[in-house]
Amino acid sequence: MHPFHYAKVLKGAVKRNLQVDLNYKFQLVTDVIDMLLIIVAFTVLGAFVDDAADPGELGIDYGLQGFLLMGVLFWALYQRAYDDTVAALPEEASRGTIGFLVTNNVSLSTLLLARNIASMVKTLLTTLFIVLPVLLVVDLAQGGMPGQRGLFAGFGLGDLPLIVGVFLLIWVFMLMVSLLVASLNIVSKRITPFANMVVTALKVLSGYYFPIEALDGYLGTGVSIWLKTHIPIITGLVFLRDMVLVPGPKPGFDVLWATYLEPMLVGIFVTGVVAGLLYKYLERKAQSWGTLEFY
Amino acid sequence: MLAVEVENVVKEFPGGWRRPPVRVIDDVSFSVEKGQHVAIIGPNGCGKTTLLRTIATIYRPDAGRVRIFGQDVFSWRQSERSRRAFAFISPALNFQAKLTLRQTIEFFATVLQKPPETVIPFLKRTGLYAMWDRRLEGFSEGQKAMLRLAIAFLKQPRVLFLDEVVANLDLSRREKVIGMLEELEAFQDLTLLMVDHDPYVVDRLCDRILVLQEGGRVHRFTSVRKLMDEVPYRFTVEVNLKRDVDDALAAKVAQPLRRYEMTLRYFAADEQAVHRISRRVLKLLGERVQDYVTAPVSLKDVYYLMREED
């Protein structure tokens, strides 16, 4: 397909997804309420642990509350898009549109990409206009001051381009993971538990619930370092916490490149190749097995 | 000029763990000339829909080749171009109920690289245009069937694949859809390959028939006219019973007779035979008759007779 036409089809599919999503207002509202409940729960949990323990004992350079809330912010950006992308093919199949679209040169990967972009647009709006302001209010209420102390102690506007760049890299990584998991949906039914398992594993490993340094005690020394340098989403979350939570001068670009960016790019490349090959193989198998339209 | 060429196509589906694959289409070959309207018919499970879906590239064949206007639909280089020539519509194609007709048409127009205006005359003709800004959740099944056809014609295809487009529609809606298709100038010019169980629909829309038999093999590929000419009768008398009658009494009315539960179907060679059968129906079956209809033989009779041959 000509790239210009591909872009038009992708834009049309994204628009259609957004039009449909906007019609399900109850889902939009419950998504936001769910997010606010998570923020409240982690704020209370973090404050409780911070009052009772020294952050140094947890192996981190900042309070647990900040640690947890930064994880919430991070996953708020990616989880909805992941969930929606994995559910996209069964949704299209239930509408009977897959056969029609495939016979019109629209591949399943285009449908997945369109679903992912539409969800990211929705998520970005929710994060920018609801999650971030709520986190700021929570932080200010507890005496935080952006750039000085609290949740955004290390944040400076100069860091924004780098943070946005890392956000985009993690988005590409999560898109690849979504494609990988959704590919299984082409040939197998009811993969939701598997999709949940993958996201739970990524959440645990990325340090959503606890610092991954804690894993060293169970799995051996150096496990956390290996994870930080081989799984892009973990690298990304560690980067975000280091940039936003830790006050003081930042390391130079060469250090950031070697510590965060290069391992992330390698991880994204490897994940992309695996996801692409698996997707193409399973799409071909689905055409052969006759499972392309059925879930 | 050949519009569709199917050569030695074989299609198998996995049979399950440690079971051999199930062969649904077995070495099927046929070709359709440009402008011909062909129906694929045959008993349930003989692979009609699988064959249509394979030709439309939804399934990949295990062997054989399919060409649309000379382009191999499964060749890496030609598949994209060949797909531009045809439209495939099945009743499985449903729509996002929350979107309006306008939003739906705009989406499909983007996918098909056609301006949405292309289909507006069709929508006006079917009365759907009056619902342009209404959500599809309020559309009836008949309106959705029309919308499926609208999307097919939006593509302006040279070949149209229809998979039971009027299935599940009541008689009046079915008639409306068929009538609409017959009137369309675009429909007259294009090549049609369709699957439908209903002989009435096939009779109205098609001029050739591909008969598949159990096991997915071609039984016959012939014209509707030729098939009809082979029936040695000109008329039928169909009797619907309100109370059961035994087979011996039914057979006493006239021969040949075909019985399908509470329906008796007598065949007549000429008009005199029709009158004779009608009189005997009233005389011998009397009040047990709900109604009876006399008509020229139709494709439905060919179906019945072919089914008996099988």
Side-chain angles (χ1 to χ4, degrees):
Chain A
M1 192 184 285
H2 190 279
F4 177 69
H5 175 57
Y6 183 83
K8 276 181 81 177
V9 170
L10 189 63
K11 190 180 150 205
V14 169
K15 188 177 163 191
R16 169 175 168 259
N17 282 318
L18 285 171
Q19 284 169 333
V20 173
D21 287 349
L22 287 174
N23 276 298
Y24 290 94
K25 294 178 185 66
F26 184 71
Q27 190 199 27
L28 291 173
V29 171
T30 46
D31 254 3
V32 170
I33 293 173
D34 183 42
M35 183 53 59
L36 295 178
L37 287 174
I38 292 172
I39 291 174
V40 169
F42 278 15
T43 303
V44 173
L45 174 69
F48 177 74
V49 175
D50 285 343
D51 285 347
D54 173 13
E57 290 173 25
L58 299 171
I60 49 179
D61 303 330
Y62 26 79
L64 188 73
Q65 190 184 59
F67 172 90
L68 290 173
L69 290 179
M70 212 39 68
V72 169
L73 173 65
F74 188 79
W75 275 96
L77 285 165
Y78 301 110
Q79 180 148 11
R80 170 49 65 193
Y82 169 83
D83 290 343
D84 285 351
T85 308
V86 169
L89 293 182
E91 164 77 10
E92 288 293 347
S94 72
R95 303 270 167 236
T97 40
I98 286 186
F100 181 84
L101 294 173
V102 166
T103 58
N104 286 293
N105 296 316
V106 179
S107 67
L108 301 184
S109 59
T110 311
L111 293 176
L112 292 173
L113 183 58
R115 179 62 267 180
N116 193 280
I117 293 173
S119 294
M120 272 319 284
V121 169
K122 208 170 60 174
T123 303
L124 271 177
L125 294 174
T126 315
T127 306
L128 283 175
F129 293 106
I130 296 171
V131 179
L132 262 177
V134 167
L135 286 177
L136 269 170
V137 169
V138 166
D139 191 42
L140 287 171
Q142 296 185 106
M145 190 60 67
Q148 292 172 13
R149 60 179 186 273
L151 200 52
F152 299 95
F155 178 72
L157 276 178
D159 304 327
L160 201 57
L162 202 54
I163 290 175
V164 170
V166 169
F167 156 75
L168 289 174
L169 287 178
I170 299 298
W171 172 63
V172 174
F173 172 73
M174 282 306 285
L175 179 64
M176 295 302 147
V177 174
S178 308
L179 182 66
L180 198 80
V181 177
S183 295
L184 300 176
N185 234 335
I186 306 174
V187 290
S188 182
K189 295 174 186 175
R190 300 190 183 183
I191 61 143
T192 312
F194 177 74
N196 292 342
M197 191 185 81
V198 170
V199 85
T200 303
L202 286 175
K203 270 183 164 178
V204 169
L205 292 177
S206 66
Y208 181 74
Y209 300 105
F210 55 83
I212 53 166
E213 283 76 6
L215 291 173
D216 285 348
Y218 296 93
L219 301 176
T221 317
V223 168
S224 60
I225 294 171
W226 189 91
L227 289 170
K228 277 182 193 174
T229 50
H230 285 83
I231 302 183
I233 195 154
I234 302 176
T235 321
L237 184 49
V238 171
F239 166 83
L240 186 71
R241 282 180 175 136
D242 288 351
M243 293 295 279
V244 176
L245 292 172
V246 182
K250 301 287 183 298
F253 184 77
D254 49 343
V255 176
L256 292 174
W257 171 262
T259 316
Y260 304 106
L261 301 176
E262 194 181 9
M264 283 172 78
L265 285 170
V266 172
I268 290 166
F269 176 75
V270 172
T271 315
V273 169
V274 173
L277 290 175
L278 184 74
Y279 163 76
K280 282 313 279 180
Y281 173 76
L282 291 180
E283 188 187 44
R284 203 179 163 87
K285 276 288 169 201
Q287 272 190 305
S288 189
W289 293 342
T291 54
L292 198 62
E293 289 183 292
F294 308 105
Y295 293 95
Chain B
M1 185 184 190
L2 290 177
V4 181
E5 294 166 83
V6 177
E7 273 177 33
N8 309 108
V9 165
V10 173
K11 180 71 208 144
E12 293 178 340
F13 290 122
W17 179 247
R18 291 189 174 184
R19 288 187 185 157
V22 179
R23 183 164 287 202
V24 182
I25 300 293
D26 189 6
D27 198 22
V28 165
S29 298
F30 66 95
S31 54
V32 181
E33 290 280 344
K34 182 175 178 268
Q36 278 184 344
H37 291 182
V38 178
I40 304 173
I41 63 167
N44 283 336
C46 69
K48 303 181 290 288
T49 296
T50 301
L51 178 60
L52 195 66
R53 283 168 183 250
T54 306
I55 297 169
T57 72
I58 293 173
Y59 300 151
R60 180 170 281 276
D62 295 283
R65 277 216 298 215
V66 177
R67 288 196 204 92
I68 309 275
F69 287 107
Q71 305 278 335
D72 188 336
V73 298
F74 293 106
S75 137
W76 184 73
R77 285 167 179 271
Q78 297 175 349
S79 68
E80 194 177 318
R81 193 185 294 176
S82 66
R83 280 172 171 167
R84 279 191 221 133
F86 70 80
F88 169 78
I89 294 292
S90 89
L93 174 62
N94 215 326
F95 308 99
Q96 287 286 358
K98 296 281 183 189
L99 297 187
T100 63
L101 177 60
R102 179 177 55 79
Q103 289 170 329
T104 304
I105 292 289
E106 280 172 358
F107 168 67
F108 283 106
T110 308
V111 168
L112 300 171
Q113 306 181 62
K114 301 283 178 191
E117 295 76 35
T118 313
V119 83
I120 289 188
F122 182 92
L123 294 176
K124 282 186 174 164
R125 210 158 162 178
T126 51
L128 285 181
Y129 191 65
M131 306 168 89
W132 187 239
D133 281 312
R134 266 198 234 163
R135 283 182 180 177
L136 300 187
E137 59 195 357
F139 277 42
S140 69
E141 283 307 311
Q143 287 164 332
K144 283 181 189 167
M146 290 288 194
L147 179 53
R148 286 183 199 109
L149 289 173
I151 288 164
F153 285 108
L154 174 64
K155 191 174 180 181
Q156 297 173 313
R158 297 164 75 193
V159 181
L160 183 59
F161 298 132
L162 295 181
D163 182 13
E164 299 200 58
V165 275
V166 290
N168 308 322
L169 294 187
D170 61 38
L171 279 176
S172 67
R173 283 170 179 158
R174 188 184 69 171
E175 189 54 43
K176 201 172 172 190
V177 174
I178 295 172
M180 187 69 220
L181 277 173
E182 283 179 329
E183 284 172 24
L184 275 178
E185 206 177 309
F187 181 73
Q188 306 305 329
D189 295 338
L190 57 72
T191 307
L192 173 72
L193 190 57
M194 66 180 281
V195 167
D196 209 298
H197 280 105
D198 192 338
Y200 176 76
V201 178
V202 173
D203 202 7
R204 288 277 296 272
L205 298 179
C206 299
D207 45 36
R208 286 182 75 78
I209 291 182
L210 176 78
V211 187
L212 287 187
Q213 60 188 25
E214 298 279 1
R217 284 182 297 276
V218 175
H219 179 55
R220 291 184 71 178
F221 186 39
T222 184
S223 73
V224 172
R225 193 68 275 144
K226 198 172 169 193
L227 211 57
M228 298 285 285
D229 288 345
E230 287 175 13
V231 180
Y233 310 102
R234 284 183 57 212
F235 300 99
T236 59
V237 179
E238 188 173 285
V239 182
N240 293 307
L241 300 169
K242 59 181 171 188
R243 284 210 306 275
D244 201 7
V245 295
D246 61 52
D247 288 346
L249 180 61
K252 226 169 140 183
V253 173
Q255 288 287 348
L257 158 70
R258 301 290 179 268
R259 180 167 192 167
Y260 311 101
E261 296 172 356
M262 295 291 275
T263 301
L264 308 173
R265 202 165 176 85
Y266 298 99
F267 294 88
D270 51 38
E271 285 177 34
Q272 280 178 332
V274 172
H275 292 306
R276 194 173 59 246
I277 292 167
S278 302
R279 280 198 303 275
R280 287 178 70 80
V281 163
L282 295 174
K283 188 177 166 190
L284 295 174
L285 305 180
E287 289 180 352
R288 278 167 285 203
V289 175
Q290 172 83 39
D291 57 53
Y292 76 96
V293 181
T294 63
V297 283
S298 68
L299 205 54
K300 199 167 163 183
D301 302 298
V302 179
Y303 267 53
Y304 284 138
L305 295 170
M306 271 193 324
R307 221 160 58 177
E308 285 173 12
E309 270 178 37
D310 292 340

